[in-house]
Amino acid sequence: MKTEDIINMAINQLRNLPGHEFDLLTLSKPISSDAAVNLAKAISKLSPILGNLIEFNIVEFLNDYEEFSHLGQWKRQDPGFPDTIFEGQIEPIPGFEIKAWFPLVTEITARFKGSQNHFRYNNTYVVLLPWLPSHLIYGKPYILDICIVSARSVAEARDKHYHKPPDYLVLEPEDTDNRTKNLQQTTTNGYKWQGNAIEFEEAEKIVEAWGENAKKYQPTREYQKLLRQLINRFPYRLDTNFAKIDRIVHPDIEIFKNQIMVRDIHGLSIKQWIKLIGKKDLTQLKLLLKEKLAIQEKRADDILL
């Protein structure tokens, strides 16, 4: 059994997730349209907690299948990368980086900063899991759909999108192979130009001198040395928004995002629900939540009796 075989077996199982409801936490049905509006506004604050619980439960989901039992088992890494690895006799070790996404906040806020060099064996895949409560804003969380892409393709798309020397540089981590595992660096960073126009002209000439493929990103040590000449000579700032999955322009992820945004949920697309929740005038949202989610007006005193 090879790494590729384990990955493909797991992908086949993960594709059964859409529609799967996790018995992790249940949000109670709002007692009024006002309460429903408040919940719609506040539910995104629960997203990190529920997202983490979903990621943790993916391990149990995979280990429930007997196909893996005689080969090893899936294990959650916290902290560690990727989130889930297969412990057994398989080398290189198969793994999945799980990214839960609550689409009512629109942007996929998770980041992906792993170096291309870390994925040279193509043994790690990214799993994007959009989820919602079963009744949009209340109920148990369930998986809307699933997108699975190789981590290498995500890293390549990210670097191709961001890297535009000398204006924007993507830098690999320093060589840390001689450090203990917990101190080794495997993530990239983005740096945005901060110099003046005269300095920029000078930097452009330096880049042009690198040759025909000067602006094509390369994770090699030789190319990284050239980039460090720029960052050591000119002013750059660390980009704290670098590598958000929503912004790396991976073709398969972009298609998947668009499909989720037009998904019909209780008579409206997710994109339409987002627009309603973001409005200052909440009258229409209140009416639709009451109608679509069968919200009945109740007094708190009645419920407490």
Side-chain angles (χ1 to χ4, degrees):
M1 191 71 71
K2 299 179 181 178
T3 298
E4 182 182 3
D5 299 322
I6 296 294
I7 291 287
N8 288 333
M9 286 169 60
I11 287 175
N12 288 335
Q13 302 302 344
L14 289 170
R15 293 203 184 280
N16 293 319
L17 274 172
H20 182 82
E21 193 173 83
F22 286 98
D23 191 13
L24 303 171
L25 177 69
T26 301
L27 295 171
S28 299
K29 185 176 181 179
I31 64 171
S32 68
S33 54
D34 284 331
V37 168
N38 289 334
L39 184 55
K41 291 284 188 179
I43 193 173
S44 63
K45 296 177 182 178
L46 286 174
S47 179
I49 298 172
L50 282 169
N52 190 266
L53 290 173
I54 288 171
E55 292 169 9
F56 184 82
N57 275 263
I58 294 301
V59 175
E60 295 184 7
F61 180 84
L62 287 173
N63 282 329
D64 280 343
Y65 292 90
E66 295 181 358
E67 290 92 333
F68 299 116
S69 59
H70 67 288
L71 300 169
Q73 66 175 355
W74 292 95
K75 178 184 176 183
R76 166 79 167 163
Q77 294 195 121
D78 188 14
F81 181 92
D83 295 315
T84 303
I85 60 170
F86 189 74
E87 280 196 335
Q89 304 301 314
I90 308 297
E91 292 288 343
I93 297 173
F96 289 99
E97 179 70 2
I98 312 295
K99 302 293 187 184
W101 168 36
F102 182 61
L104 283 186
V105 299
T106 67
E107 188 174 64
I108 307 171
T109 56
R111 299 174 191 274
F112 191 85
K113 299 179 71 175
S115 164
Q116 287 189 39
N117 292 324
H118 194 62
F119 309 119
R120 61 174 66 95
Y121 301 115
N122 208 27
N123 58 312
T124 302
Y125 276 66
V126 177
V127 179
L128 189 58
L129 293 172
W131 66 273
L132 284 175
S134 54
H135 297 282
L136 184 70
I137 59 171
Y138 71 90
K140 295 178 181 178
Y142 78 102
I143 303 301
L144 281 170
D145 209 332
I146 188 168
C147 178
I148 306 174
V149 292
S150 74
R152 184 168 67 187
S153 73
V154 177
E156 289 173 350
R158 176 203 63 213
D159 297 339
K160 180 180 180 181
H161 171 68
Y162 277 100
H163 190 65
K164 296 175 175 60
D167 182 59
Y168 197 105
L169 309 180
V170 175
L171 261 66
E172 297 287 320
E174 298 281 2
D175 184 5
T176 58
D177 289 345
N178 293 326
R179 298 183 186 177
T180 57
K181 186 176 180 180
N182 64 312
L183 294 177
Q184 290 179 8
Q185 298 175 9
T186 59
T187 59
T188 57
N189 279 302
Y191 294 87
K192 175 66 177 172
W193 174 266
Q194 294 292 284
N196 58 41
I198 295 175
E199 290 173 320
F200 192 79
E201 286 183 9
E202 184 182 350
E204 279 189 316
K205 291 178 182 178
I206 293 174
V207 172
E208 289 172 4
W210 295 348
E212 184 179 350
N213 294 321
K215 296 192 176 185
K216 182 180 179 182
Y217 186 76
Q218 301 170 58
T220 62
R221 291 185 179 180
E222 293 74 18
Y223 188 72
Q224 293 297 310
K225 285 181 180 178
L226 296 176
L227 296 181
R228 293 189 188 282
Q229 291 177 11
L230 291 177
I231 208 162
N232 290 333
R233 184 167 177 175
F234 302 103
Y236 285 84
R237 66 168 173 82
L238 179 67
D239 181 7
T240 55
N241 285 315
F242 171 71
K244 284 187 176 180
I245 287 182
D246 200 70
R247 306 180 186 184
I248 63 175
V249 198
H250 185 287
D252 291 338
I253 293 177
E254 290 300 307
I255 292 171
F256 182 70
K257 281 164 45 182
N258 292 332
Q259 291 172 342
I260 293 299
M261 285 295 104
V262 298
R263 180 72 65 90
D264 184 279
I265 305 292
H266 293 282
L268 295 175
S269 70
I270 290 179
K271 188 175 183 178
Q272 288 172 316
W273 280 117
I274 292 168
K275 188 175 181 180
L276 283 169
I277 292 170
K279 283 185 174 181
K280 290 184 178 180
D281 184 353
L282 301 175
T283 305
Q284 188 180 7
L285 175 62
K286 187 184 296 187
L287 290 172
L288 282 170
L289 287 174
K290 187 175 181 179
E291 174 192 340
K292 303 291 187 183
L293 305 183
I295 304 295
Q296 297 180 352
E297 304 295 330
K298 297 179 181 179
R299 294 191 314 159
D301 290 346
D302 295 336
I303 295 173
L304 294 173
L305 291 177

